[in-house]
Amino acid sequence: MKKIPIIILTGPTAVGKTNLSIDLAKELNAEIISADSMQIYKYMDIGSAKITIDEMQGVKHYLVDEVTPDYVFSVSEFQKRADDYIQKINKDNKKVLVTGGTGLYLNSLIYNMDFAKSDANNELREKLRIELEENGIDYMHNKLKELDPEAAQRIHKNNTKRVI
């Protein structure tokens, strides 16, 4: 498959990526794919500096408000959806502008990372999620300490997704 060139605009929150991305998209006849791990979620507008409809100024955006907060969204799914949108945007004879600050999302596109071998064990994950609900955060983090003390030191107990 022919490689499609993409333009990447990245940086931390609140440095002006949004305004610059709109200006670039208008100048270059581009559409924007968000590479932000929080903007993918509907209803999570506060604290994510999510672009508003008015701020979009008619520029088409992808991967903003696509899934609900209870949906488990992975970098693998980001890569697949972003690749599909890249194909669509290119087919429409527009340039692709990827903007955001989630490094792993960006790396998944730049380096074409293969996530096929790292499928999550959803059955085990669900079992552990229920165990967390029943027994609490401290219990689950202590269980992690027993199984993998190094990981338990790196992962804060409130980061339940990583603890699981």
Side-chain angles (χ1 to χ4, degrees), residues 8-12 17 33-36 98-103 106:
I8 296 177
L9 174 61
T10 189
K17 290 185 307 294
I33 296 174
S34 172
D36 184 291
V98 179
T99 186
T102 304
L106 295 167

Side-chain angles (χ1 to χ4, degrees), residues 59-123:
V59 174
K60 180 71 178 157
H61 281 66
Y62 301 90
L63 296 175
V64 174
D65 285 339
E66 286 212 5
V67 298
T68 57
D70 62 338
Y71 184 85
V72 178
F73 192 80
S74 67
V75 65
S76 175
E77 188 163 352
F78 167 82
Q79 183 185 48
K80 167 83 173 86
R81 288 185 187 214
D83 283 340
D84 289 346
Y85 288 135
I86 289 168
Q87 298 297 323
K88 179 201 175 305
I89 294 166
N90 185 64
K91 186 177 176 191
D92 292 343
N93 293 314
K94 297 200 175 217
K95 293 194 174 51
V96 178
L97 175 58
V98 179
T99 186
T102 304
L104 188 56
Y105 282 11
L106 295 167
N107 285 341
S108 77
L109 297 177
I110 296 167
Y111 301 111
N112 197 24
M113 300 165 97
D114 182 7
F115 297 98
K117 297 178 189 85
S118 63
D119 289 336
N121 183 337
N122 290 328
E123 189 174 308

Side-chain angles (χ1 to χ4, degrees), residues 1 4 6 22 34 43 46 49 66 81 89 98-99 113 122 124-125 128 147 153 157:
M1 178 166 40
I4 297 169
I6 62 174
I22 296 299
S34 172
Y43 321 119
I46 298 171
E66 286 212 5
R81 288 185 187 214
I89 294 166
V98 179
T99 186
M113 300 165 97
N122 290 328
L124 176 59
R125 182 172 293 282
L128 292 172
L147 296 170
Q153 276 190 317
K157 72 177 185 178

Side-chain angles (χ1 to χ4, degrees), residues 126-137 140:
E126 181 60 17
K127 178 182 171 261
L128 292 172
R129 187 192 64 72
I130 291 168
E131 195 173 331
L132 171 71
E133 280 182 16
E134 291 173 351
N135 299 296
I137 293 170
M140 191 57 74

